[in-house]
mmCIF file of all heavy atoms in Angstrom:
data_model
loop_
_atom_site.group_PDB
_atom_site.id
_atom_site.type_symbol
_atom_site.label_atom_id
_atom_site.label_comp_id
_atom_site.label_asym_id
_atom_site.label_seq_id
_atom_site.Cartn_x
_atom_site.Cartn_y
_atom_site.Cartn_z
ATOM 1 N N HIS A 1 119.108 183.565 26.571
ATOM 2 C CA HIS A 1 119.314 182.146 27.122
ATOM 3 C C HIS A 1 118.199 181.329 27.090
ATOM 4 O O HIS A 1 117.114 181.633 27.700
ATOM 5 C CB HIS A 1 119.881 182.308 28.552
ATOM 6 C CG HIS A 1 120.208 180.932 29.105
ATOM 7 N ND1 HIS A 1 121.271 180.171 28.574
ATOM 8 C CD2 HIS A 1 119.656 180.251 30.197
ATOM 9 C CE1 HIS A 1 121.345 179.055 29.350
ATOM 10 N NE2 HIS A 1 120.400 179.037 30.262
ATOM 11 N N VAL A 2 118.233 180.265 26.295
ATOM 12 C CA VAL A 2 117.132 179.354 26.088
ATOM 13 C C VAL A 2 116.992 178.337 27.255
ATOM 14 O O VAL A 2 118.011 177.787 27.566
ATOM 15 C CB VAL A 2 117.147 178.632 24.775
ATOM 16 C CG1 VAL A 2 116.152 177.627 24.655
ATOM 17 C CG2 VAL A 2 117.291 179.601 23.567
ATOM 18 N N GLN A 3 115.850 178.236 27.769
ATOM 19 C CA GLN A 3 115.625 177.311 28.911
ATOM 20 C C GLN A 3 114.426 176.357 28.525
ATOM 21 O O GLN A 3 113.412 176.740 28.000
ATOM 22 C CB GLN A 3 115.304 177.981 30.221
ATOM 23 C CG GLN A 3 116.505 178.749 30.699
ATOM 24 C CD GLN A 3 116.208 179.420 32.035
ATOM 25 O OE1 GLN A 3 115.105 179.409 32.521
ATOM 26 N NE2 GLN A 3 117.289 179.993 32.599
ATOM 27 N N LEU A 4 114.562 174.965 28.868
ATOM 28 C CA LEU A 4 113.582 174.045 28.550
ATOM 29 C C LEU A 4 113.314 173.423 29.843
ATOM 30 O O LEU A 4 114.190 172.927 30.582
ATOM 31 C CB LEU A 4 113.976 173.060 27.524
ATOM 32 C CG LEU A 4 114.614 173.655 26.150
ATOM 33 C CD1 LEU A 4 115.021 172.433 25.336
ATOM 34 C CD2 LEU A 4 113.478 174.343 25.370
ATOM 35 N N VAL A 5 112.071 173.253 30.136
ATOM 36 C CA VAL A 5 111.582 172.629 31.443
ATOM 37 C C VAL A 5 110.580 171.494 30.963
ATOM 38 O O VAL A 5 109.513 171.764 30.622
ATOM 39 C CB VAL A 5 111.003 173.548 32.459
ATOM 40 C CG1 VAL A 5 110.544 172.845 33.665
ATOM 41 C CG2 VAL A 5 112.006 174.736 32.724
ATOM 42 N N GLU A 6 110.961 170.344 31.338
ATOM 43 C CA GLU A 6 110.115 169.099 31.026
ATOM 44 C C GLU A 6 109.318 168.661 32.221
ATOM 45 O O GLU A 6 109.744 168.782 33.465
ATOM 46 C CB GLU A 6 111.030 168.058 30.490
ATOM 47 C CG GLU A 6 111.756 168.354 29.335
ATOM 48 C CD GLU A 6 112.729 167.313 28.998
ATOM 49 O OE1 GLU A 6 113.508 166.855 29.837
ATOM 50 O OE2 GLU A 6 112.921 166.981 27.785
ATOM 51 N N SER A 7 108.192 168.057 31.986
ATOM 52 C CA SER A 7 107.339 167.408 33.037
ATOM 53 C C SER A 7 106.467 166.449 32.321
ATOM 54 O O SER A 7 106.308 166.410 31.147
ATOM 55 C CB SER A 7 106.641 168.542 33.743
ATOM 56 O OG SER A 7 105.671 169.135 32.774
ATOM 57 N N GLY A 8 105.780 165.701 33.171
ATOM 58 C CA GLY A 8 104.697 164.782 32.706
ATOM 59 C C GLY A 8 105.128 163.238 32.732
ATOM 60 O O GLY A 8 104.201 162.435 32.462
ATOM 61 N N GLY A 9 106.389 163.017 33.155
ATOM 62 C CA GLY A 9 106.788 161.643 33.098
ATOM 63 C C GLY A 9 106.076 161.017 34.305
ATOM 64 O O GLY A 9 105.585 161.529 35.257
ATOM 65 N N GLY A 10 106.195 159.644 34.329
ATOM 66 C CA GLY A 10 105.680 158.701 35.399
ATOM 67 C C GLY A 10 105.643 157.342 34.976
ATOM 68 O O GLY A 10 106.187 156.916 34.037
ATOM 69 N N SER A 11 104.999 156.519 35.943
ATOM 70 C CA SER A 11 104.880 155.084 35.657
ATOM 71 C C SER A 11 103.480 154.796 35.249
ATOM 72 O O SER A 11 102.530 155.171 35.737
ATOM 73 C CB SER A 11 105.157 154.404 36.979
ATOM 74 O OG SER A 11 106.483 154.608 37.385
ATOM 75 N N VAL A 12 103.454 153.975 34.078
ATOM 76 C CA VAL A 12 102.124 153.502 33.524
ATOM 77 C C VAL A 12 102.215 152.059 33.173
ATOM 78 O O VAL A 12 103.329 151.589 33.001
ATOM 79 C CB VAL A 12 101.787 154.392 32.299
ATOM 80 C CG1 VAL A 12 101.545 155.819 32.695
ATOM 81 C CG2 VAL A 12 102.791 154.221 31.219
ATOM 82 N N GLN A 13 101.090 151.428 33.038
ATOM 83 C CA GLN A 13 101.065 150.026 32.606
ATOM 84 C C GLN A 13 101.084 149.983 31.119
ATOM 85 O O GLN A 13 100.767 150.836 30.338
ATOM 86 C CB GLN A 13 99.785 149.409 33.123
ATOM 87 C CG GLN A 13 99.776 149.192 34.579
ATOM 88 C CD GLN A 13 98.524 148.503 35.115
ATOM 89 O OE1 GLN A 13 97.445 148.697 34.635
ATOM 90 N NE2 GLN A 13 98.751 147.505 35.945
ATOM 91 N N ALA A 14 101.556 148.843 30.506
ATOM 92 C CA ALA A 14 101.533 148.674 29.137
ATOM 93 C C ALA A 14 100.158 148.906 28.516
ATOM 94 O O ALA A 14 99.161 148.458 29.144
ATOM 95 C CB ALA A 14 102.046 147.220 28.731
ATOM 96 N N GLY A 15 100.201 149.643 27.367
ATOM 97 C CA GLY A 15 98.917 150.004 26.696
ATOM 98 C C GLY A 15 98.341 151.321 27.206
ATOM 99 O O GLY A 15 97.283 151.791 26.686
ATOM 100 N N GLY A 16 98.912 151.789 28.214
ATOM 101 C CA GLY A 16 98.487 153.187 28.813
ATOM 102 C C GLY A 16 98.958 154.344 28.002
ATOM 103 O O GLY A 16 99.717 154.122 27.027
ATOM 104 N N SER A 17 98.569 155.517 28.503
ATOM 105 C CA SER A 17 98.912 156.824 27.751
ATOM 106 C C SER A 17 99.677 157.719 28.689
ATOM 107 O O SER A 17 99.513 157.685 29.966
ATOM 108 C CB SER A 17 97.740 157.423 27.118
ATOM 109 O OG SER A 17 97.249 156.581 26.149
ATOM 110 N N LEU A 18 100.424 158.654 28.220
ATOM 111 C CA LEU A 18 101.104 159.655 28.990
ATOM 112 C C LEU A 18 101.383 160.900 28.073
ATOM 113 O O LEU A 18 101.661 160.725 26.905
ATOM 114 C CB LEU A 18 102.517 159.074 29.535
ATOM 115 C CG LEU A 18 103.060 159.658 30.698
ATOM 116 C CD1 LEU A 18 102.110 159.593 31.950
ATOM 117 C CD2 LEU A 18 104.411 159.096 31.096
ATOM 118 N N ARG A 19 101.306 162.044 28.689
ATOM 119 C CA ARG A 19 101.517 163.187 27.923
ATOM 120 C C ARG A 19 102.644 164.031 28.461
ATOM 121 O O ARG A 19 102.562 164.503 29.686
ATOM 122 C CB ARG A 19 100.223 164.004 27.951
ATOM 123 C CG ARG A 19 100.271 165.389 27.032
ATOM 124 C CD ARG A 19 98.969 166.099 27.084
ATOM 125 N NE ARG A 19 98.882 167.426 26.409
ATOM 126 C CZ ARG A 19 98.623 167.533 25.166
ATOM 127 N NH1 ARG A 19 98.326 166.523 24.418
ATOM 128 N NH2 ARG A 19 98.561 168.774 24.670
ATOM 129 N N LEU A 20 103.745 164.231 27.753
ATOM 130 C CA LEU A 20 104.926 164.894 28.215
ATOM 131 C C LEU A 20 104.728 166.396 27.844
ATOM 132 O O LEU A 20 104.227 166.688 26.699
ATOM 133 C CB LEU A 20 106.206 164.306 27.813
ATOM 134 C CG LEU A 20 106.451 162.801 27.939
ATOM 135 C CD1 LEU A 20 107.719 162.369 27.514
ATOM 136 C CD2 LEU A 20 106.233 162.490 29.488
ATOM 137 N N SER A 21 105.289 167.262 28.653
ATOM 138 C CA SER A 21 105.306 168.697 28.197
ATOM 139 C C SER A 21 106.695 169.250 28.388
ATOM 140 O O SER A 21 107.465 168.930 29.213
ATOM 141 C CB SER A 21 104.331 169.497 29.172
ATOM 142 O OG SER A 21 103.120 169.005 29.140
ATOM 143 N N CYS A 22 107.036 170.209 27.469
ATOM 144 C CA CYS A 22 108.241 170.881 27.581
ATOM 145 C C CYS A 22 108.019 172.384 27.436
ATOM 146 O O CYS A 22 107.658 172.816 26.348
ATOM 147 C CB CYS A 22 109.249 170.350 26.428
ATOM 148 S SG CYS A 22 110.774 171.313 26.367
ATOM 149 N N LEU A 23 108.215 173.041 28.471
ATOM 150 C CA LEU A 23 107.970 174.502 28.435
ATOM 151 C C LEU A 23 109.276 175.297 28.063
ATOM 152 O O LEU A 23 110.327 174.973 28.704
ATOM 153 C CB LEU A 23 107.603 175.041 29.809
ATOM 154 C CG LEU A 23 107.310 176.607 30.004
ATOM 155 C CD1 LEU A 23 106.114 176.961 29.174
ATOM 156 C CD2 LEU A 23 106.979 176.974 31.392
ATOM 157 N N TYR A 24 109.174 176.061 27.096
ATOM 158 C CA TYR A 24 110.465 176.801 26.589
ATOM 159 C C TYR A 24 110.285 178.299 26.524
ATOM 160 O O TYR A 24 109.068 178.794 26.364
ATOM 161 C CB TYR A 24 110.818 176.340 25.226
ATOM 162 C CG TYR A 24 109.841 176.369 24.195
ATOM 163 C CD1 TYR A 24 109.599 177.474 23.418
ATOM 164 C CD2 TYR A 24 109.014 175.210 23.919
ATOM 165 C CE1 TYR A 24 108.591 177.584 22.458
ATOM 166 C CE2 TYR A 24 108.041 175.209 22.904
ATOM 167 C CZ TYR A 24 107.847 176.365 22.094
ATOM 168 O OH TYR A 24 106.939 176.463 21.167
ATOM 169 N N ASN A 25 111.235 179.082 26.724
ATOM 170 C CA ASN A 25 111.214 180.558 26.733
ATOM 171 C C ASN A 25 111.397 181.053 25.265
ATOM 172 O O ASN A 25 110.980 182.135 24.863
ATOM 173 C CB ASN A 25 112.067 181.188 27.663
ATOM 174 C CG ASN A 25 113.490 180.818 27.548
ATOM 175 O OD1 ASN A 25 113.792 179.986 26.767
ATOM 176 N ND2 ASN A 25 114.339 181.440 28.408
ATOM 177 N N HIS A 26 112.171 180.272 24.340
ATOM 178 C CA HIS A 26 112.452 180.567 23.045
ATOM 179 C C HIS A 26 112.382 179.348 22.235
ATOM 180 O O HIS A 26 113.253 178.500 22.471
ATOM 181 C CB HIS A 26 113.663 181.402 22.891
ATOM 182 C CG HIS A 26 113.957 182.751 23.558
ATOM 183 N ND1 HIS A 26 113.239 183.800 23.106
ATOM 184 C CD2 HIS A 26 114.509 183.048 24.694
ATOM 185 C CE1 HIS A 26 113.479 184.902 23.870
ATOM 186 N NE2 HIS A 26 114.168 184.520 24.910
ATOM 187 N N ARG A 27 111.500 179.425 21.240
ATOM 188 C CA ARG A 27 111.438 178.259 20.366
ATOM 189 C C ARG A 27 112.539 178.087 19.432
ATOM 190 O O ARG A 27 112.859 179.166 18.799
ATOM 191 C CB ARG A 27 110.031 178.270 19.621
ATOM 192 C CG ARG A 27 109.797 177.059 18.714
ATOM 193 C CD ARG A 27 108.520 177.214 17.936
ATOM 194 N NE ARG A 27 108.410 178.372 17.071
ATOM 195 C CZ ARG A 27 109.056 178.460 15.752
ATOM 196 N NH1 ARG A 27 109.643 177.342 15.423
ATOM 197 N NH2 ARG A 27 108.987 179.468 15.115
ATOM 198 N N GLY A 28 113.071 176.907 19.149
ATOM 199 C CA GLY A 28 114.061 176.716 18.149
ATOM 200 C C GLY A 28 113.317 176.399 16.932
ATOM 201 O O GLY A 28 112.135 176.124 16.841
ATOM 202 N N ASN A 29 114.001 176.563 15.846
ATOM 203 C CA ASN A 29 113.435 176.304 14.465
ATOM 204 C C ASN A 29 112.944 174.830 14.489
ATOM 205 O O ASN A 29 111.797 174.604 13.847
ATOM 206 C CB ASN A 29 114.454 176.465 13.423
ATOM 207 C CG ASN A 29 114.566 177.835 12.944
ATOM 208 O OD1 ASN A 29 114.762 178.784 13.692
ATOM 209 N ND2 ASN A 29 114.613 178.051 11.566
ATOM 210 N N CYS A 30 113.580 174.029 15.238
ATOM 211 C CA CYS A 30 113.154 172.583 15.384
ATOM 212 C C CYS A 30 113.094 172.281 16.812
ATOM 213 O O CYS A 30 113.928 172.650 17.630
ATOM 214 C CB CYS A 30 114.085 171.683 14.706
ATOM 215 S SG CYS A 30 113.580 169.883 14.670
ATOM 216 N N MET A 31 111.944 171.612 17.224
ATOM 217 C CA MET A 31 111.762 171.078 18.573
ATOM 218 C C MET A 31 111.720 169.535 18.499
ATOM 219 O O MET A 31 111.037 169.055 17.592
ATOM 220 C CB MET A 31 110.632 171.678 19.222
ATOM 221 C CG MET A 31 110.407 173.195 19.207
ATOM 222 S SD MET A 31 111.756 173.906 20.356
ATOM 223 C CE MET A 31 111.231 173.143 22.010
ATOM 224 N N GLY A 32 112.557 168.922 19.247
ATOM 225 C CA GLY A 32 112.483 167.474 19.176
ATOM 226 C C GLY A 32 112.348 166.791 20.522
ATOM 227 O O GLY A 32 112.604 167.397 21.685
ATOM 228 N N TRP A 33 112.009 165.507 20.499
ATOM 229 C CA TRP A 33 111.830 164.731 21.658
ATOM 230 C C TRP A 33 112.762 163.469 21.512
ATOM 231 O O TRP A 33 112.790 162.768 20.419
ATOM 232 C CB TRP A 33 110.538 164.182 21.985
ATOM 233 C CG TRP A 33 109.564 165.251 22.581
ATOM 234 C CD1 TRP A 33 108.625 165.993 21.913
ATOM 235 C CD2 TRP A 33 109.423 165.532 23.965
ATOM 236 N NE1 TRP A 33 107.937 166.791 22.889
ATOM 237 C CE2 TRP A 33 108.516 166.512 24.096
ATOM 238 C CE3 TRP A 33 110.131 164.978 25.156
ATOM 239 C CZ2 TRP A 33 108.132 167.007 25.321
ATOM 240 C CZ3 TRP A 33 109.800 165.502 26.383
ATOM 241 C CH2 TRP A 33 108.831 166.519 26.508
ATOM 242 N N PHE A 34 113.607 163.209 22.547
ATOM 243 C CA PHE A 34 114.608 162.069 22.423
ATOM 244 C C PHE A 34 114.430 161.336 23.648
ATOM 245 O O PHE A 34 113.870 161.707 24.639
ATOM 246 C CB PHE A 34 115.993 162.625 22.341
ATOM 247 C CG PHE A 34 116.385 163.260 21.021
ATOM 248 C CD1 PHE A 34 115.994 164.469 20.654
ATOM 249 C CD2 PHE A 34 117.165 162.582 20.108
ATOM 250 C CE1 PHE A 34 116.262 165.078 19.415
ATOM 251 C CE2 PHE A 34 117.601 163.080 18.865
ATOM 252 C CZ PHE A 34 117.069 164.368 18.503
ATOM 253 N N ARG A 35 114.873 160.107 23.614
ATOM 254 C CA ARG A 35 114.912 159.330 24.847
ATOM 255 C C ARG A 35 116.173 158.459 24.896
ATOM 256 O O ARG A 35 116.843 158.291 23.959
ATOM 257 C CB ARG A 35 113.685 158.231 24.823
ATOM 258 C CG ARG A 35 113.768 157.243 23.737
ATOM 259 C CD ARG A 35 112.405 156.457 23.669
ATOM 260 N NE ARG A 35 112.485 155.384 22.620
ATOM 261 C CZ ARG A 35 111.426 154.707 22.316
ATOM 262 N NH1 ARG A 35 110.252 154.886 22.904
ATOM 263 N NH2 ARG A 35 111.576 153.744 21.374
ATOM 264 N N GLN A 36 116.525 158.109 26.191
ATOM 265 C CA GLN A 36 117.769 157.386 26.439
ATOM 266 C C GLN A 36 117.608 156.480 27.568
ATOM 267 O O GLN A 36 116.959 156.717 28.609
ATOM 268 C CB GLN A 36 118.886 158.387 26.712
ATOM 269 C CG GLN A 36 120.269 157.713 26.879
ATOM 270 C CD GLN A 36 121.357 158.845 26.794
ATOM 271 O OE1 GLN A 36 121.064 159.910 27.347
ATOM 272 N NE2 GLN A 36 122.580 158.508 26.249
ATOM 273 N N VAL A 37 118.215 155.288 27.433
ATOM 274 C CA VAL A 37 118.146 154.223 28.477
ATOM 275 C C VAL A 37 119.686 153.990 28.910
ATOM 276 O O VAL A 37 120.582 154.190 27.971
ATOM 277 C CB VAL A 37 117.580 153.016 28.176
ATOM 278 C CG1 VAL A 37 115.970 153.260 27.895
ATOM 279 C CG2 VAL A 37 118.179 152.416 26.879
ATOM 280 N N PRO A 38 120.004 153.525 30.031
ATOM 281 C CA PRO A 38 121.364 153.225 30.458
ATOM 282 C C PRO A 38 122.034 152.249 29.468
ATOM 283 O O PRO A 38 121.478 151.296 29.086
ATOM 284 C CB PRO A 38 121.237 152.628 31.816
ATOM 285 C CG PRO A 38 120.084 153.210 32.415
ATOM 286 C CD PRO A 38 119.028 153.267 31.142
ATOM 287 N N GLY A 39 123.264 152.594 29.075
ATOM 288 C CA GLY A 39 124.037 151.803 28.071
ATOM 289 C C GLY A 39 123.641 151.952 26.765
ATOM 290 O O GLY A 39 124.338 151.198 25.890
ATOM 291 N N LYS A 40 122.728 152.738 26.342
ATOM 292 C CA LYS A 40 122.434 153.028 24.846
ATOM 293 C C LYS A 40 122.540 154.537 24.607
ATOM 294 O O LYS A 40 122.501 155.393 25.546
ATOM 295 C CB LYS A 40 120.985 152.603 24.687
ATOM 296 C CG LYS A 40 120.860 151.108 24.826
ATOM 297 C CD LYS A 40 119.399 150.699 24.375
ATOM 298 C CE LYS A 40 119.238 149.159 24.354
ATOM 299 N NZ LYS A 40 117.970 148.797 23.930
ATOM 300 N N GLU A 41 122.669 154.741 23.353
ATOM 301 C CA GLU A 41 122.812 156.207 22.881
ATOM 302 C C GLU A 41 121.431 156.818 22.868
ATOM 303 O O GLU A 41 120.345 156.167 22.936
ATOM 304 C CB GLU A 41 123.346 156.178 21.405
ATOM 305 C CG GLU A 41 122.325 155.575 20.355
ATOM 306 C CD GLU A 41 122.320 154.115 20.320
ATOM 307 O OE1 GLU A 41 122.959 153.511 21.099
ATOM 308 O OE2 GLU A 41 121.464 153.665 19.507
ATOM 309 N N ARG A 42 121.412 158.199 22.979
ATOM 310 C CA ARG A 42 120.212 158.825 22.962
ATOM 311 C C ARG A 42 119.602 158.798 21.587
ATOM 312 O O ARG A 42 120.342 158.955 20.497
ATOM 313 C CB ARG A 42 120.509 160.383 23.292
ATOM 314 C CG ARG A 42 119.237 161.167 23.529
ATOM 315 C CD ARG A 42 119.576 162.518 24.041
ATOM 316 N NE ARG A 42 120.132 162.381 25.460
ATOM 317 C CZ ARG A 42 120.430 163.327 26.302
ATOM 318 N NH1 ARG A 42 120.159 164.538 25.914
ATOM 319 N NH2 ARG A 42 120.959 163.184 27.384
ATOM 320 N N GLU A 43 118.296 158.414 21.430
ATOM 321 C CA GLU A 43 117.624 158.256 20.108
ATOM 322 C C GLU A 43 116.594 159.237 19.954
ATOM 323 O O GLU A 43 115.858 159.485 20.875
ATOM 324 C CB GLU A 43 117.241 156.817 19.990
ATOM 325 C CG GLU A 43 116.203 156.403 21.018
ATOM 326 C CD GLU A 43 115.711 154.982 20.697
ATOM 327 O OE1 GLU A 43 116.049 154.430 19.706
ATOM 328 O OE2 GLU A 43 114.772 154.518 21.475
ATOM 329 N N GLY A 44 116.231 159.661 18.768
ATOM 330 C CA GLY A 44 115.142 160.467 18.337
ATOM 331 C C GLY A 44 113.828 159.828 18.481
ATOM 332 O O GLY A 44 113.759 158.580 18.182
ATOM 333 N N VAL A 45 112.796 160.663 18.767
ATOM 334 C CA VAL A 45 111.420 160.013 18.898
ATOM 335 C C VAL A 45 110.595 160.778 18.010
ATOM 336 O O VAL A 45 109.868 160.252 17.168
ATOM 337 C CB VAL A 45 110.921 160.071 20.449
ATOM 338 C CG1 VAL A 45 109.505 159.612 20.419
ATOM 339 C CG2 VAL A 45 111.771 159.252 21.296
ATOM 340 N N ALA A 46 110.557 162.129 18.154
ATOM 341 C CA ALA A 46 109.655 162.979 17.323
ATOM 342 C C ALA A 46 110.279 164.351 17.198
ATOM 343 O O ALA A 46 111.119 164.737 18.037
ATOM 344 C CB ALA A 46 108.241 163.022 17.916
ATOM 345 N N ALA A 47 109.969 164.916 16.213
ATOM 346 C CA ALA A 47 110.397 166.413 15.938
ATOM 347 C C ALA A 47 109.393 167.127 15.165
ATOM 348 O O ALA A 47 108.545 166.653 14.437
ATOM 349 C CB ALA A 47 111.820 166.323 15.196
ATOM 350 N N THR A 48 109.435 168.446 15.396
ATOM 351 C CA THR A 48 108.378 169.308 14.699
ATOM 352 C C THR A 48 109.229 170.613 14.212
ATOM 353 O O THR A 48 110.002 171.173 14.896
ATOM 354 C CB THR A 48 107.227 169.761 15.602
ATOM 355 O OG1 THR A 48 106.354 170.588 14.830
ATOM 356 C CG2 THR A 48 107.694 170.522 16.915
#
């Protein structure tokens, strides 16, 4: 059973930086980051 645990989010000012982490117990062939805001579809950000 694959589990993913995310962390690192928060509030920052424009121009700032943030580092998100995703801890997983089993890596998929592809790992991706997506984002979603209310009223919009989930969109891809990055993948490896």
Side-chain angles (χ1 to χ4, degrees):
H1 179 63
V2 177
Q3 294 184 350
L4 308 176
V5 181
E6 300 169 318
S7 62
S11 298
V12 297
Q13 293 183 314
S17 299
L18 206 60
R19 184 179 176 87
L20 306 183
S21 300
C22 178
L23 179 67
Y24 54 84
N25 56 358
H26 294 287
R27 180 182 63 82
N29 276 49
C30 184
M31 302 295 298
W33 283 98
F34 289 76
R35 65 188 184 187
Q36 186 170 30
V37 298
K40 294 186 177 181
E41 71 281 358
R42 190 168 298 186
E43 64 175 355
V45 177
T48 181

